[in-house]
């Protein structure tokens, strides 16, 4: 199997924009991703974060699947401790029934928001593994009380994580593992899919300019100052911190090939944290154009 490219989209609310605009941009980007030949399009679950509009993955996945026809669409991911497994199985079983063969159910266990918000969501202290086991059982179409799953309406289940321990759990449960390298770039972890943060532009100089906002935002977070993503014009000039792969096409080929070689994956899921939607679209266009220059390890 050759290299697959996919998209991770947080529906970012940047400085001067609104949740409605962010969600419209997500729809536009999903349509472009399908046109460019990307394989999957995942949206994550976040709560109480003013810079992220993707709070309800099941709702957003339903809309994205309806406006596309070939793209696999899913959650990257549903934070299982926030929900009864039965509700998750019913929601994604319904989506699988409406869009056969196109729905992914990525699950994780991160908080997904500040403690004050998470405490309003989480009502159970059950072990995560027990919750996963219950969800797997509910996704068995021959023996489930999740009615939409009956008849084989089963989403593809993925386990998401940013550490080797989650990879081990995925192997024990027999489900594919998606490694969130964009959250833990300092780690190397073998995975079926690796998500990576990339900003690609026509040349290295412009890509570095486009990377100013995300570097400014990351520095602010480390200093306890949470801000919306600023424009490149208003961003600080900061050195590369290694969290985002930045460069023109030739530079990005080299950096992405290193990720492929380190992780052994055959699928890269790209998130491009840039301010202007047009620049984000262009980043994905350039990445799609260099796909043929990349080779999965092995």
């Amino acid at each position: 199997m050759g290299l697959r490219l996919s998209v991770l989209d947080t529906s970012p609310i940047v400085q001067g924009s609104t949740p409605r605009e962010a969600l419209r941009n997500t729809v536009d980007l999903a349509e472009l991703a399908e046109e460019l030949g990307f394989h999957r399009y995942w949206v994550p679950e976040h709560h109480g974060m003013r810079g992220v509009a993707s709070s309800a993955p099941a709702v957003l996945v339903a809309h994205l699947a309806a406006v596309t026809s070939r793209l696999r669409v899913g959650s990257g991911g549903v934070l299982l401790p926030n929900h009864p497994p039965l509700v998750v199985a019913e929601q994604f079983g319904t989506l699988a029934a409406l869009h056969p063969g196109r729905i992914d159910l990525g699950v994780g266990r991160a908080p997904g928001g500040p403690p004050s918000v998470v405490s309003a969501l989480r009502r159970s202290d059950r072990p995560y593994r027990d919750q996963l086991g219950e969800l797997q059982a509910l996704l068995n179409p021959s023996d489930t009380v999740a009615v939409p799953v009956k008849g084989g309406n089963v989403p593809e289940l993925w386990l998401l994580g940013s550490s080797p321990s989650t990879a081990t759990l995925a192997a024990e449960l027999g489900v594919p593992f998606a490694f969130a390298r964009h959250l833990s770039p300092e780690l190397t972890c073998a995975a079926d899919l690796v998500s990576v943060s990339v900003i690609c532009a026509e040349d290295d100089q412009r890509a570095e300019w486009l990377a100013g906002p995300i570097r400014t935002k990351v520095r602010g977070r480390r200093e306890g100052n949470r801000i919306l993503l600023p424009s490149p014009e208003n961003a600080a000039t900061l050195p590369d911190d290694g969290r985002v792969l930045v460069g023109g096409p030739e530079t990005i080929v080299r950096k992405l090939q290193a990720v492929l070689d380190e992780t052994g994956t055959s699928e890269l899921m790209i998130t491009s944290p840039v301010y202007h939607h047009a620049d984000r679209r262009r980043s994905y266009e350039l990445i799609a154009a260099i796909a043929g220059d990349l080779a999965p390890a092995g």
Side-chain angles (χ1 to χ4, degrees), residues 7-20:
V7 177
L8 177 65
D9 181 11
T10 62
S11 301
I13 305 169
V14 302
Q15 282 185 2
S17 73
T18 65
R20 184 175 186 178

Side-chain angles (χ1 to χ4, degrees), residues 32-148:
L32 176 67
E34 180 165 82
E35 178 183 330
L36 294 173
F38 282 82
H39 183 58
R40 305 178 204 272
Y41 199 102
W42 284 2
V43 292
E45 176 185 342
H46 290 286
H47 300 282
M49 300 177 69
R50 62 194 183 101
V52 180
S54 63
S55 299
V59 177
L60 191 50
V61 167
H63 187 69
L64 296 177
V67 300
T68 55
S69 59
R70 300 181 306 278
L71 197 65
R72 292 194 68 93
V73 186
S75 58
V78 165
L79 303 178
L80 193 54
N82 293 344
H83 313 279
L86 176 58
V87 171
V88 176
E90 289 174 335
Q91 289 175 342
F92 281 80
T94 299
L95 289 168
L98 292 170
H99 307 282
R102 295 183 54 212
I103 302 299
D104 294 331
L105 171 54
V107 298
R109 56 181 163 186
S116 59
V117 176
V118 173
S119 65
L121 286 168
R122 300 199 169 183
R123 303 299 185 186
S124 172
D125 294 326
R126 290 177 59 202
Y128 181 52
R129 186 180 180 118
D130 290 353
Q131 293 175 311
L132 285 169
E134 181 181 344
L135 179 61
Q136 280 189 297
L138 289 164
L139 293 176
N140 179 354
S142 64
D143 182 23
T144 182
V145 296
V147 174

Side-chain angles (χ1 to χ4, degrees), residues 268-292:
L268 294 173
M269 179 165 276
I270 308 296
T271 182
S272 290
V274 294
Y275 179 83
H276 292 292
H277 185 59
D279 290 324
R280 191 159 64 129
R281 285 176 55 97
R282 186 59 178 152
S283 182
Y284 283 105
E285 288 172 345
L286 292 169
I287 292 167
I290 63 175

Side-chain angles (χ1 to χ4, degrees), residues 11-13 17-27 53:
S11 301
I13 305 169
S17 73
T18 65
R20 184 175 186 178
E21 183 178 356
L23 291 169
R24 285 180 170 177
N25 287 342
T26 285
V27 174

